[in-house]
Amino acid sequence: MADGEANGTLRVACIGDIHVKEDQTAPYRELFGEVSREADALVLAGDLTDLGKVREAEILAEDLRACSIPVVAVLGNHDYECGCVDEVARILRQAGVKLLDGTSCEIEGVGFVGVKGFGGGFGRRMLGSFGEPAIKGFVAESVTEAMRLENAMRGVRKGRTVVVLHYAPIAETVEGEPPEIFPFLGSSRLAETIDRFQVSAIVHGHAHRGTYEGRTPGGAPVYNVARHIPKPTGKPYAILEV
């Protein structure tokens, strides 16, 4: 038991965008062992594999044997690349990962709720459902992910809740990326949904050159935990006390 759990809080290690490749040997085994000593739970915020290949998922599952604490995850866009997402999800679930996809789970009194999310842009520049069918389809995917998140949030008991995403819910934590690609990094629809509820923290990845910390319009703390983002721990992962 980590110190946080003993003191009535849950220490949650969070990292996204680990991009496991099929030609790697035990890329995260040592890190997962370290995290198990530092935290009470591990959150993986999408892009668990590099190309969504079955072998990549198998390598990750093997490394997760070194993790002795509960693991919560969502998938990212890279995990869909090869069209093997169902098999990737099956392998990770068999490895004990609590894979969230419009669903929730609870660990030591803390609720975790998650979806992958999608793009669409932020604030007044958010893409609207108008024009060609391709644009309407893009926006519909963004709206659907927000609705799936809302449905999952309604199933979580009031109290300590962590929202796990891959795409960003606010522009603040993608700042540092080229402004031209902001619409493909996340959507304000996610933040609008989250702000209807009381949450302790939101974590996401996807924006490798973004900013670590921000807040939703309603004041909920948001953390970009992509592996590439500098964090207060000085490690590839952040530690949140919930």
Side-chain angles (χ1 to χ4, degrees), residues 199-210:
V199 304
S200 302
I202 304 119
V203 298
H204 73 86
H206 196 39
H208 296 189
R209 291 178 286 181

Side-chain angles (χ1 to χ4, degrees), residues 94-180:
Q94 282 190 340
V97 176
K98 300 176 189 297
L99 194 60
L100 305 181
D101 185 17
T103 52
S104 63
C105 67
E106 185 174 312
I107 300 172
E108 298 295 334
V110 176
F112 292 82
V113 59
V115 295
K116 172 176 60 66
F118 199 62
F122 304 97
R124 292 180 298 171
R125 297 177 177 86
M126 189 164 54
L127 188 63
S129 183
F130 181 87
E132 302 95 321
I135 294 295
K136 291 178 179 177
F138 188 94
V139 174
E141 182 71 14
S142 182
V143 171
T144 296
E145 285 293 280
M147 291 177 62
R148 294 174 71 243
L149 176 60
E150 180 168 358
N151 288 338
M153 293 291 298
R154 294 187 185 282
V156 178
R157 294 187 303 173
K158 291 183 179 180
R160 296 178 292 166
T161 303
V162 177
V163 177
V164 185
L165 306 167
H166 181 59
Y167 285 81
I170 59 172
E172 192 175 354
T173 50
V174 304
E175 290 178 357
E177 294 280 4
E180 294 83 356

Side-chain angles (χ1 to χ4, degrees), residues 13-217:
C14 307
I15 183 172
D17 303 85
I18 58 177
H19 290 277
V20 172
K21 298 177 175 62
E22 63 180 344
D23 61 353
Q24 293 177 309
T25 302
Y28 290 101
R29 189 169 301 170
E30 185 175 332
L31 183 69
F32 291 155
E34 176 185 323
V35 164
S36 296
R37 297 186 293 272
E38 297 292 329
D40 306 308
L42 170 63
V43 166
L44 301 175
D47 281 1
L48 314 181
T49 63
D50 195 47
L51 294 172
K53 294 182 176 181
V54 169
R55 181 56 188 151
E56 294 171 342
E58 290 172 343
I59 291 169
L60 175 56
E62 291 165 5
D63 279 9
L64 284 170
R65 293 178 182 174
C67 192
S68 59
I69 56 178
V71 181
V72 177
V74 296
L75 297 179
N77 58 307
H78 277 246
D79 301 311
Y80 282 75
E81 169 61 19
C82 280
C84 300
V85 66
D86 289 342
E87 183 68 5
V88 166
R90 183 191 65 80
I91 290 167
L92 296 177
R93 287 191 172 105
Q94 282 190 340
V97 176
K98 300 176 189 297
L99 194 60
L100 305 181
D101 185 17
T103 52
S104 63
C105 67
E106 185 174 312
I107 300 172
E108 298 295 334
V110 176
F112 292 82
V113 59
V115 295
K116 172 176 60 66
F118 199 62
F122 304 97
R124 292 180 298 171
R125 297 177 177 86
M126 189 164 54
L127 188 63
S129 183
F130 181 87
E132 302 95 321
I135 294 295
K136 291 178 179 177
F138 188 94
V139 174
E141 182 71 14
S142 182
V143 171
T144 296
E145 285 293 280
M147 291 177 62
R148 294 174 71 243
L149 176 60
E150 180 168 358
N151 288 338
M153 293 291 298
R154 294 187 185 282
V156 178
R157 294 187 303 173
K158 291 183 179 180
R160 296 178 292 166
T161 303
V162 177
V163 177
V164 185
L165 306 167
H166 181 59
Y167 285 81
I170 59 172
E172 192 175 354
T173 50
V174 304
E175 290 178 357
E177 294 280 4
E180 294 83 356
I181 69 170
F182 274 28
F184 306 103
L185 296 177
S187 170
S188 290
R189 291 183 175 92
L190 296 166
E192 290 171 1
T193 295
I194 292 165
D195 278 343
R196 298 188 187 107
F197 302 88
Q198 183 177 354
V199 304
S200 302
I202 304 119
V203 298
H204 73 86
H206 196 39
H208 296 189
R209 291 178 286 181
T211 301
Y212 173 63
E213 188 173 358
R215 288 188 177 270
T216 67

